[in-house]
Amino acid sequence: MDSMDFAGRGGNTDKGAVCKRLLRDHPKVFVSLVPDRHQAAFHDLLEGVWVVLRVYTSTRRVHTTKFRLFCLDLYHLILNNFSNEAERWISLSPTVHKCML
């Protein structure tokens, strides 16, 4: 069962740590799974998700204006490369949508 940690954050499972480790150490594995025409953008997406995960789990101060602009750029990367009508293969959940805007 997930519970709040001492800092008030939820989730005490290994999923987040495993995800961060995979994104950090093996991004080429994920990139190789997508069609060639999407690999460069997908690489940028994975790097962006890695940064967002690091910031959300950081205990350091965050320059919120810069982080918001970074998230908006990442959001536009997703919309422009992975969410068009012809090839919609990334769908943002309402939670992710709110985090990115």
Side-chain angles (χ1 to χ4, degrees):
M1 180 167 122
D2 285 350
S3 60
M4 299 291 253
D5 65 11
F6 69 92
R9 292 187 204 97
N12 58 3
T13 64
D14 293 334
K15 294 176 205 164
V18 170
C19 181
K20 284 191 284 187
R21 194 168 32 252
L22 284 171
L23 288 174
R24 180 192 68 213
D25 297 339
H26 306 289
K28 290 180 181 178
V29 172
F30 292 106
V31 171
S32 69
L33 298 174
V34 301
D36 290 344
R37 67 185 177 281
H38 294 296
Q39 287 186 357
F42 196 65
H43 181 269
D44 293 345
L45 172 63
L46 291 178
E47 282 186 344
V49 169
W50 164 245
V51 170
V52 169
L53 286 172
R54 296 281 298 167
V55 170
Y56 275 141
T57 59
S58 173
T59 57
R60 295 181 177 202
R61 288 182 175 225
V62 175
H63 191 292
T64 55
T65 302
K66 287 183 179 180
F67 184 63
R68 183 172 189 277
L69 291 173
F70 180 84
C71 288
L72 280 172
D73 287 344
L74 187 59
Y75 182 73
H76 287 123
L77 174 83
I78 294 167
L79 291 179
N80 293 332
N81 291 281
F82 306 108
S83 294
N84 64 48
E85 287 299 320
E87 291 184 297
R88 180 168 296 175
W89 57 283
I90 289 182
S91 177
L92 299 176
S93 71
T95 301
V96 172
H97 181 77
K98 278 188 172 185
C99 289
M100 302 303 283
L101 293 178

